[in-house]
């Protein structure tokens, strides 16, 4: 049975990580993300092998029922990019010419950067119940990622340093150390706009979504694929609160197919490379948190998650 509280936690994590893979945070978003890392919605395994003490200890749906957290009261429309400091970088509705959402609602991009952790989904960080799913390896990656974000703050890493690392890592303005596009990793020729790109585009279009710079930048950027899973998950929650179980199941089938056929088919290897090439604690943290998030969603859907 689908649980809205669990889905809310996953939507929040995937929304935040999608934004941070797409664009480095500015000072406001960086400070907010660091402040909110202790409220990370997915469980972490500390080095000594115990669950992280940070955040709520239970993961039941009691705090996220329709009576206090339905999409009509606290969906993405109340947590737009204006609270985040990061430009919108996700998937607008099909037909929108801008990178940001044209209309509020679960089908539009969840908020960016810090706001995504605290506000994406249907509950805020203070009331969201941390989901204790995922394998030990995945929760260990989450714990290591959280510690890297803490270390980034302790080391005083600046937005400029993180932006430079993001640029060098993903090739924002230069050659990428680790290409962030699925087609590069899975295509025979290792080029962008390959077969995988078109398949991903079709998956977006099935939910009336599209890449922000259609035909200019590849649709299969890891940040956009993470953002797509966040938006799909929010639509599932919307369907659950609307008592539309059939739509919720149909959406989850679409999400399962996308996760299995796309993200899990290339992102673990790409993220493993990124952990080796990232030079700042912050970007290492983002990558490790992403590994943990993929592991958590894969376990929920009973899909294999294989790290290199």
């Amino acid at each position: 049975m689908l649980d809205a509280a669990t889905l809310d936690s996953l939507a929040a994590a995937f929304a935040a990580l999608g934004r941070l893979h797409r664009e480095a945070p500015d000072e406001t978003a960086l400070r907010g993300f660091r402040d909110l890392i202790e409220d990370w919605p997915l469980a972490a395994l500390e080095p000594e092998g115990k669950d992280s003490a940070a955040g709520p200890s239970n993961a039941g749906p009691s705090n996220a029922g329709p009576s206090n957290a339905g999409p009509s009261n606290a969906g993405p429309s109340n947590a737009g990019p204006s609270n985040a400091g990061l430009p919108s970088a996700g998937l607008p509705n099909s037909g929108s010419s801008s990178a940001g959402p044209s209309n509020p609602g679960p089908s539009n991009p969840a908020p960016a950067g810090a706001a995504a952790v605290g506000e994406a989904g249907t509950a805020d960080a203070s009331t969201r119940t941390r989901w204790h799913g995922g394998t030990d390896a995945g929760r260990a990656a989450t714990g290591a990622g959280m510690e890297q974000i803490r270390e980034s703050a302790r080391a005083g890493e600046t937005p400029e340093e993180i932006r430079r690392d993001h640029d060098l890592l993903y090739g924002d303005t230069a050659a990428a150390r680790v290409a962030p596009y699925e087609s590069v990793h899975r295509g025979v020729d290792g080029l962008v706009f390959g077969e995988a790109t078109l398949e991903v585009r079709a998956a977006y279009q099935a939910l009336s979504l599209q890449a922000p710079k259609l035909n200019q930048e590849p649709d299969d950027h890891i940040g956009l694929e993470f953002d797509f899973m966040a938006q799909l998950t929010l639509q599932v929650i919307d369907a659950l609160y609307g008592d539309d179980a059939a739509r919720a199941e149909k959406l989850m089938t679409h999400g399962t197919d996308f996760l299995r056929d796309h993200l899990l088919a290339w992102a673990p290897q790409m993220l493993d490379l990124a952990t080796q090439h990232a030079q700042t604690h912050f970007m290492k943290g983002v990558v490790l948190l992403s590994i943990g998030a993929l592991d958590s969603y894969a376990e929920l859907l009973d899909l294999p998650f294989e790290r290199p």
Side-chain angles (χ1 to χ4, degrees):
M1 181 177 178
L2 296 175
D3 173 52
T6 295
L7 295 173
D8 180 78
S9 295
L10 288 164
F14 273 75
L17 294 167
R19 292 303 183 274
L20 293 170
H21 281 296
R22 282 282 289 161
E23 297 195 29
D26 66 8
E27 184 173 356
T28 301
L30 176 60
R31 182 171 59 250
F33 191 83
R34 286 169 173 168
D35 289 344
L36 289 169
I37 194 62
E38 302 308 332
D39 290 314
W40 190 248
L42 304 180
L45 202 63
E46 298 292 353
E48 64 270 21
K50 297 180 180 180
D51 280 337
S52 170
S57 59
N58 298 314
S62 59
N63 291 333
S67 61
N68 59 11
S72 60
N73 296 324
S77 59
N78 294 330
S82 60
N83 294 329
L86 276 176
S88 177
L91 298 163
N93 286 332
S94 295
S96 172
S97 61
S98 66
S102 56
N103 297 297
S107 62
N108 290 299
V117 178
E119 301 178 69
T122 60
D124 62 34
S126 63
T127 61
R128 177 180 291 116
T129 51
R130 170 172 285 158
W131 183 49
H132 285 255
T135 66
D136 283 350
R139 289 192 289 173
T142 297
M146 292 173 68
E147 184 58 27
Q148 286 292 328
I149 300 299
R150 298 184 191 112
E151 186 59 33
S152 173
R154 289 192 288 264
E157 290 179 345
T158 65
E160 291 74 23
E161 290 173 322
I162 295 168
R163 188 177 303 112
R164 181 176 182 275
D165 192 22
H166 191 285
D167 185 359
L168 293 173
L169 190 63
Y170 291 151
D172 298 337
T173 62
R177 288 174 174 155
V178 181
Y181 303 108
E182 179 179 347
S183 55
V184 173
H185 292 267
R186 300 187 67 193
V188 175
D189 298 324
L191 302 175
V192 296
F193 287 108
E195 182 179 351
T197 308
L198 300 180
E199 292 175 354
V200 167
R201 181 178 300 178
Y204 297 167
Q205 290 175 342
L207 268 64
S208 299
L209 299 169
Q210 69 177 34
K213 296 182 179 179
L214 193 65
N215 296 320
Q216 299 177 45
E217 294 182 359
D219 311 57
D220 55 352
H221 189 288
I222 189 169
L224 291 178
E225 293 195 9
F226 262 70
D227 187 70
F228 174 71
M229 287 301 301
Q231 294 192 52
L232 180 147
T233 305
L234 290 174
Q235 290 195 28
V236 174
I237 295 171
D238 192 40
L240 290 174
Y241 286 140
D243 293 325
D244 192 345
R247 174 166 171 74
E249 290 291 347
K250 182 177 180 180
L251 286 165
M252 284 306 298
T253 297
H254 191 59
T256 300
D257 291 344
F258 186 84
L259 196 63
R260 181 192 61 238
D261 298 339
H262 293 285
L263 269 170
L264 291 178
W266 74 284
Q269 292 77 17
M270 174 263 172
L271 292 169
D272 185 68
L273 286 173
T275 61
Q276 300 173 39
H277 289 282
Q279 297 183 345
T280 59
H281 293 291
F282 187 86
M283 287 307 301
K284 288 180 181 178
V286 168
V287 171
L288 288 165
L289 289 170
S290 299
I291 292 171
L294 283 174
D295 175 270
S296 294
Y297 220 142
E299 196 215 27
L300 175 69
L301 300 178
D302 197 25
L303 294 173
F305 178 84
E306 299 179 4
R307 290 187 63 180

